[in-house]
Amino acid sequence: MTERAFIPLHIAVLTVSDSRTAADDRSGDTLVARLTDAGHALAARGILPDDRAAIAARLRDWCARADIDVVLTTGGTGLTGRDVTV
């Protein structure tokens, strides 16, 4: 089996939450720590409320950027009418 060289990815992390801020976004912090510990680069990070249009716009923007290889999302998984990311 031939080993392949590690290629670090540029990863964006989006937290979807009506209640989280940069000060208490534990799931976002965990994702950033794990991806950087694995040798990847944080390309962008954001927190958005449960707003379908805002989430879609941010995802479209990040997916169109040449400097972002992967987009990870976290949050927005509640069961209220405002939780639209599910």
Side-chain angles (χ1 to χ4, degrees):
M1 181 168 169
T2 305
E3 286 197 34
R4 296 181 186 190
F6 176 77
I7 300 173
L9 299 172
H10 297 88
I11 301 174
V13 175
L14 177 63
T15 299
V16 177
S17 176
D18 285 334
S19 60
R20 294 288 173 240
T21 67
D24 65 358
D25 179 18
R26 293 183 317 204
S27 62
D29 291 342
T30 298
L31 287 172
V32 170
R34 291 193 178 176
L35 73 90
T36 55
D37 288 349
H40 301 289
L42 179 65
R45 183 169 178 186
I47 300 174
L48 289 176
D50 292 288
D51 178 283
R52 185 183 309 266
I55 297 164
R58 178 69 56 89
L59 293 175
R60 279 193 298 274
D61 174 57
W62 283 356
C63 288
R65 287 177 46 178
D67 64 328
I68 295 177
D69 300 311
V70 175
V71 175
L72 299 177
T73 64
T74 184
T77 58
L79 298 175
T80 70
R82 288 211 28 89
D83 296 306
V84 297
T85 55
V86 181

